[in-house]
Amino acid sequence: MSVATFDILLAPLRSGLTFQDTTMRRSISPEERLLLTLRFLATGNSFASLHYEYLLGISTISGIVCHTCQLIWQRLREAVMPTPTADDWLRIADGFYQSSQFPNCIGALDGKHIRVKKPPHSGSQYFNFKQYFSIVLLALVDSNYRFIIVDIGAYGSTADARIFCSSRMGERLRANQLALPEPRRLPGSSASAAPFVIVADEGFALSPHVMRAFPRRDLDDRKRIFNYRLSRACRYVECAFGILSNKWRVFMSSLQMSPQNATLVIQACVILHNFTRIHDVPSEPEVAPFPTTSVGLDHNPQGRPGSAGLAVRELFADYFISPEGALSWQLNSIRGTRR
């Protein structure tokens, strides 16, 4: 983070980080409070290590980090991660079409397990299938690796699909409250209009607005092409998680704090990730190499997918093998990975 970007970040936080001096001691300046928090998030150093670097008490450092993280979430969330409007969804969809050639895509969805210290008396609630304790960061990401909507704090033992269904994002999607644009025809196609969709992996249920891959059995070229095109769009959320973890290395080890404070840290890192993506333009594009209005559509979050979800997936699969939607290299790509 450059000095200029640090000053931009400090400006909306200064009033909340300024405290009154007393006759006993001077208060810690806003600059030092923010610098200390960024140091913790960027390095993952323990509070005991920061105690020797900044000559502050461990409990003081803990309080500063938690307060600053909470302030970052409260003061910057609307600026760097606002609630999307219909125009925002259209812009996101255009970005996915330009970068991954997946039309009508409004985001890539996935969950990331953030390792935490086992909370006392929690049993196996936080113990995940990867055999460690965690809380889940569920995120919807655009083609610029920015977080659009996040859900933070679910138990590590909970499946991604269940977290999504019970999250505010999933509830608003089912209630048609995400201000999604009206369905539109796929580029160059004369077929019926297709709804705007979220791309996700096999851990999520198929629905009219959530696309997942075809099952990996009895795949023909048409289904393989759809899976290939879907994976090209899904990779953005995985790349966003990788960028987040590499820039904010506090995620490289277990968070030695309560789940409530760990949630504050994750919230701050999500906001800072978007903030740096906006203000610190990377020198090279970080791209992985490769050779709501839906009234009347049924939604079945559990069990077998509804007929409307299957119909939407078939519509995209047909488009990807049509002259209007096919890519020149897609057949070579899928035949090179056929088993």
Side-chain angles (χ1 to χ4, degrees):
M1 181 181 295
S2 65
V3 175
T5 304
F6 179 86
D7 292 337
I8 296 173
L9 175 62
L10 179 61
L13 305 176
R14 181 178 293 277
S15 61
L17 297 177
T18 302
F19 293 84
Q20 185 176 2
D21 294 336
T22 68
T23 56
M24 300 295 295
R25 67 182 67 180
R26 293 182 179 177
S27 63
I28 302 172
S29 66
E31 289 82 1
E32 188 172 1
R33 287 174 177 270
L34 181 57
L35 186 62
L36 173 63
T37 302
L38 294 178
R39 178 71 173 177
F40 169 72
L41 299 178
T43 64
N45 289 348
S46 66
F47 292 154
S49 175
L50 295 173
H51 158 68
Y52 291 103
E53 293 182 32
Y54 289 87
L55 302 180
L56 296 172
I58 294 178
S59 61
T60 302
I61 293 174
S62 175
I64 289 174
V65 168
C66 292
H67 173 259
T68 307
C69 287
Q70 184 177 25
L71 197 66
I72 289 172
W73 174 260
Q74 293 173 346
R75 298 282 180 92
L76 297 178
R77 180 179 55 180
E78 290 300 325
V80 303
M81 197 173 62
T83 302
T85 63
D87 291 337
D88 293 329
W89 292 125
L90 290 173
R91 176 184 52 79
I92 293 169
D94 291 341
F96 269 102
Y97 184 65
Q98 293 295 328
S99 59
S100 64
Q101 293 76 51
F102 199 106
N104 286 23
C105 176
I106 58 172
L109 178 69
D110 203 1
K112 176 178 175 60
H113 287 271
I114 307 296
R115 190 187 297 262
V116 297
K117 180 179 69 174
K118 181 185 182 298
H121 314 297
S122 62
S124 60
Q125 285 181 323
Y126 293 89
F127 195 69
N128 64 30
F129 69 97
K130 298 181 179 181
Q131 308 299 307
Y132 60 82
F133 296 92
S134 67
I135 59 178
V136 179
L137 163 62
L138 184 73
L140 186 68
V141 174
D142 67 12
S143 60
N144 291 319
Y145 310 104
R146 297 177 192 169
F147 295 106
I148 307 169
I149 304 175
V150 295
D151 182 90
I152 303 170
Y155 296 136
S157 60
T158 309
D160 288 347
R162 181 173 296 181
I163 296 172
F164 177 67
C165 288
S166 60
S167 68
R168 186 182 178 191
M169 171 172 45
E171 292 174 352
R172 293 182 64 191
L173 181 63
R174 291 194 297 274
N176 305 318
Q177 295 177 351
L178 281 182
L180 297 184
E182 292 286 347
R184 68 180 181 185
R185 290 181 177 178
L186 301 178
S189 173
S190 59
S192 59
F196 287 83
V197 299
I198 295 170
V199 295
D201 59 21
E202 294 89 345
F204 295 88
L206 180 68
S207 75
H209 291 294
V210 179
M211 290 291 101
R212 54 170 286 174
F214 284 101
R216 298 183 182 181
R217 59 182 183 275
D218 301 326
L219 292 177
D220 54 18
D221 282 349
R222 173 175 167 275
K223 293 180 179 180
R224 288 178 181 274
I225 288 173
F226 175 85
N227 289 357
Y228 168 71
R229 299 286 290 270
L230 185 82
S231 68
R232 296 185 75 246
C234 284
R235 79 184 193 267
Y236 285 93
V237 65
E238 299 293 347
C239 291
F241 287 149
I243 296 169
L244 177 73
S245 297
N246 278 280
K247 182 175 287 291
W248 308 107
R249 303 183 72 84
V250 67
F251 297 129
M252 292 296 185
S253 59
S254 176
L255 296 179
Q256 300 298 309
M257 55 185 63
S258 67
Q260 293 75 22
N261 289 341
T263 299
L264 295 177
V265 168
I266 299 169
Q267 288 175 339
C269 288
V270 166
I271 296 302
L272 291 171
H273 170 89
N274 280 12
F275 182 86
T276 54
R277 296 295 301 175
I278 295 171
H279 294 280
D280 284 346
V281 180
S283 57
E284 296 181 359
E286 296 158 329
V287 178
F290 264 83
T292 357
T293 47
S294 55
V295 178
L297 297 179
D298 59 325
H299 182 88
N300 183 12
Q302 296 180 356
R304 296 181 63 83
S307 59
L310 292 171
V312 172
R313 184 167 65 179
E314 294 294 330
L315 178 63
F316 277 94
D318 291 337
Y319 174 75
F320 290 149
I321 61 172
S322 67
E324 296 82 11
L327 300 178
S328 59
W329 66 85
Q330 62 186 19
L331 278 175
N332 292 333
S333 297
I334 64 165
R335 289 170 179 170
T337 58
R338 177 179 293 177
R339 295 180 181 178

